[in-house]
Amino acid sequence: MPSGRRTNTIFSNTLFAFPFILFIYIAVAPGTYAAESRIDSHISLSQAYNDNLTFTVHNPMDDLIFMAEPGLKWDYQTDRTLTTTSAELTHYGYKDEHELNRTDQQYNLRHTWAITEKSGLSVAGTYKKDNTISQRTEDTGILFDTSDRTIYQIAPSCYWNLTERTRAELAGGYADGDYESNRYSDYTNKKATISVTHRLSSRNTKLLLEGDYAHQHYPSYYTTIDQYRFYLGFTHPFSERLAITAWSGAKYTETDYQQLVREFLGYNFYLGLFPYPVFRERIESKTEKDWGYIGLIQLTQAYEKGDITLTVQRDIGTSTALGETIEKDSIALNSSYQFIRHLTASLSAEITNEKYNGTGNYAERDIYRFCPSLNWQLKKDIWVDLSYLYLRSEEKIESTNMKNTAERNRIVLSIAIRNEKRL
């Protein structure tokens, strides 16, 4: 690594760590308020089988994986502040694919402060070091390479209770991702959100108005994405157990990227007799502008021993490398049911359709996800969890009208032990 980049990396790491140091000092420094401190430690041991580790179409890798996840969480609370810190390590040991063995790290810090009875602020930060293969446990993208990466995130926010029923919030966010492999682009993501909620007098119905702006930059792809989103929504309880959440709005996306263009100049002659075409290649900067409808409808029904949630959603994303607009339509079902006091079953199922509007190879993709699980509480602080995941992706290639299909079956058996202690 060049010395200049190393210096910048050290500086950015130190700058990012400063809020952590500041808030930890606030948490442990003597104060005028009565304080309560609590520490929660846990460890989870899992054995998994995955028949398509990288979720690829051809020549999938399967393996047995052992996972150990120790973690520590510390809460420090006063009359007006709450500081939460956590650290978690996840070790992956593969039976055959030993080159994938690794230990992921994640550290979180959040500090909230009630400034007055009507206002407050919070700052949350995350440092994470993992591998792109970790994101393919639940994600649906095709993974063309494994790469270690480091992610920094910081998210400040504040709120004001304008009246007894009206609340305004302003939130920001900054994320920085650094990849070791040059097949991925490092990125920065900046976001700002403003929202207003108003509770009606009847049946606790809430109205929501929200707008946000996000700026994403991928230097290796020479891509910059600006997104503006605005929507109106509401939540309404039909009864104590049945509620609806719905919102609708629009998203505008402006993408600047670069594309290689080959220009035909004509023919030249080899030895004055044999013609051959002559091309000139150049990099051309392009801008794509697009807007579309986004929305969500969610119904939640609670029962005496469980609940069920049905979600229908439409969203719009953007390809980081080609500047293509991606329209996403999904329907999801989530449910849980407690058979007996210490045995709970859960089910998560989702179907997503993605359409790519642009010059890329993929025109459309259908994704199917099905995940049932069982959770059994053996003792007060000991849980056993058994889960199964089926994942299928069908991609239609625009140029050839061919269909590529990737499938994954994964089963995980884990035991978790937790211990909570007040200090």
Side-chain angles (χ1 to χ4, degrees):
M1 179 185 293
S3 59
R5 183 177 179 181
R6 184 184 300 111
T7 302
N8 292 337
T9 302
I10 295 173
F11 175 76
S12 61
N13 292 353
T14 304
L15 183 62
F16 182 83
F18 178 74
F20 287 82
I21 299 172
L22 175 62
F23 290 131
I24 289 175
Y25 170 76
I26 294 174
V28 300
T32 59
Y33 304 107
E36 181 180 290
S37 184
R38 182 180 63 186
I39 191 166
D40 180 9
S41 60
H42 66 272
I43 184 169
S44 174
L45 303 176
S46 306
Q47 183 68 61
Y49 171 74
N50 192 325
D51 67 355
N52 193 344
L53 296 174
T54 55
F55 200 53
T56 52
V57 176
H58 304 291
N59 302 319
M61 296 188 301
D62 69 310
D63 209 345
L64 289 170
I65 313 159
F66 171 76
M67 294 173 287
E69 302 176 69
L72 194 65
K73 181 182 177 182
W74 177 42
D75 293 338
Y76 185 88
Q77 186 172 13
T78 69
D79 293 340
R80 288 194 174 183
T81 66
L82 172 62
T83 302
T84 300
T85 62
S86 64
E88 187 169 76
L89 304 178
T90 305
H91 176 74
Y92 296 86
Y94 290 78
K95 180 178 179 294
D96 297 322
E97 307 295 334
H98 302 297
E99 70 279 2
L100 297 178
N101 293 347
R102 70 189 186 282
T103 300
D104 294 346
Q105 310 171 45
Q106 181 166 332
Y107 307 94
N108 301 289
L109 174 63
R110 182 179 182 86
H111 180 75
T112 60
W113 179 25
I115 302 174
T116 68
E117 293 182 356
K118 295 184 177 182
S119 64
L121 61 83
S122 69
V123 176
T126 298
Y127 169 84
K128 179 164 58 174
K129 189 173 181 62
D130 64 359
N131 189 282
T132 52
I133 198 173
S134 303
Q135 303 307 303
R136 301 313 176 192
T137 302
E138 302 294 345
D139 202 359
T140 52
I142 300 300
L143 182 66
F144 53 78
D145 193 18
T146 60
S147 173
D148 290 334
R149 65 178 183 177
T150 303
I151 297 176
Y152 309 87
Q153 295 175 320
I154 187 166
S157 64
C158 57
Y159 71 88
W160 301 269
N161 291 323
L162 304 178
T163 68
E164 291 183 356
R165 288 191 245 164
T166 305
R167 180 187 181 103
E169 295 188 37
L170 179 63
Y174 175 81
D176 184 287
D178 299 322
Y179 292 85
E180 288 193 5
S181 171
N182 56 14
R183 299 194 68 180
Y184 292 90
S185 174
D186 296 343
Y187 68 87
T188 57
N189 187 356
K190 304 172 184 177
K191 186 176 181 179
T193 302
I194 183 169
S195 62
V196 178
T197 57
H198 177 73
R199 179 172 56 85
L200 301 180
S201 57
S202 59
R203 302 182 67 88
N204 289 325
T205 299
K206 290 184 179 180
L207 303 179
L208 171 65
L209 167 64
E210 182 169 308
D212 62 50
Y213 165 73
H215 175 83
Q216 305 167 45
H217 180 51
Y218 299 84
S220 298
Y221 298 150
Y222 303 99
T223 302
T224 300
I225 303 171
D226 292 288
Q227 289 186 332
Y228 304 83
R229 186 178 68 159
F230 171 82
Y231 65 84
L232 291 166
F234 71 94
T235 61
H236 174 72
F238 294 107
S239 65
E240 292 183 356
R241 295 186 175 183
L242 178 63
I244 183 174
T245 297
W247 53 260
S248 177
K251 179 182 284 188
Y252 172 77
T253 303
E254 186 171 312
T255 306
D256 297 318
Y257 64 102
Q258 293 186 354
Q259 188 177 63
L260 179 65
V261 178
R262 297 188 69 194
E263 182 181 356
F264 176 67
L265 299 180
Y267 289 93
N268 206 343
F269 291 87
Y270 178 69
L271 298 178
L273 298 174
F274 306 103
Y276 61 91
V278 178
F279 297 91
R280 180 175 63 187
E281 294 184 348
R282 71 178 190 276
I283 298 295
E284 186 175 282
S285 297
K286 291 192 173 184
T287 299
E288 297 285 345
K289 299 180 180 180
D290 196 12
W291 72 273
Y293 161 78
I294 58 175
L296 175 143
I297 298 177
Q298 184 176 83
L299 285 171
T300 301
Q301 173 69 61
Y303 301 97
E304 183 178 352
K305 294 186 177 182
D307 59 71
I308 184 170
T309 299
L310 178 66
T311 305
V312 179
Q313 185 171 6
R314 178 179 178 82
D315 198 4
I316 298 175
T318 304
S319 169
T320 57
L322 299 175
E324 299 172 331
T325 298
I326 307 172
E327 298 178 352
K328 301 180 181 181
D329 297 291
S330 64
I331 180 169
L333 177 70
N334 293 277
S335 179
S336 66
Y337 184 80
Q338 188 177 41
F339 289 103
I340 56 178
R341 182 178 179 184
H342 299 296
L343 181 63
T344 301
S346 300
L347 174 64
S348 175
E350 184 175 353
I351 300 175
T352 302
N353 174 264
E354 298 181 350
K355 294 180 180 179
Y356 294 71
N357 300 321
T359 58
N361 291 328
Y362 298 112
E364 189 171 354
R365 177 165 64 183
D366 294 317
I367 303 159
Y368 306 89
R369 182 180 180 275
F370 177 75
C371 183
S373 64
L374 284 173
N375 181 271
W376 184 20
Q377 185 178 2
L378 293 178
K379 294 184 178 181
K380 179 182 178 181
D381 298 320
I382 302 177
W383 290 262
V384 174
D385 188 83
L386 177 65
S387 66
Y388 167 75
L389 169 69
Y390 174 74
L391 193 62
R392 179 184 178 92
S393 174
E394 298 178 356
E395 295 183 295
K396 299 176 184 178
I397 301 177
E398 184 179 15
S399 58
T400 61
N401 201 29
M402 293 180 62
K403 181 185 290 186
N404 285 331
T405 301
E407 289 184 297
R408 165 181 289 165
N409 292 275
R410 188 199 67 195
I411 187 168
V412 181
L413 177 63
S414 61
I415 182 170
I417 303 173
R418 299 173 185 172
N419 182 37
E420 181 181 310
K421 183 179 180 181
R422 296 183 182 275
L423 304 178

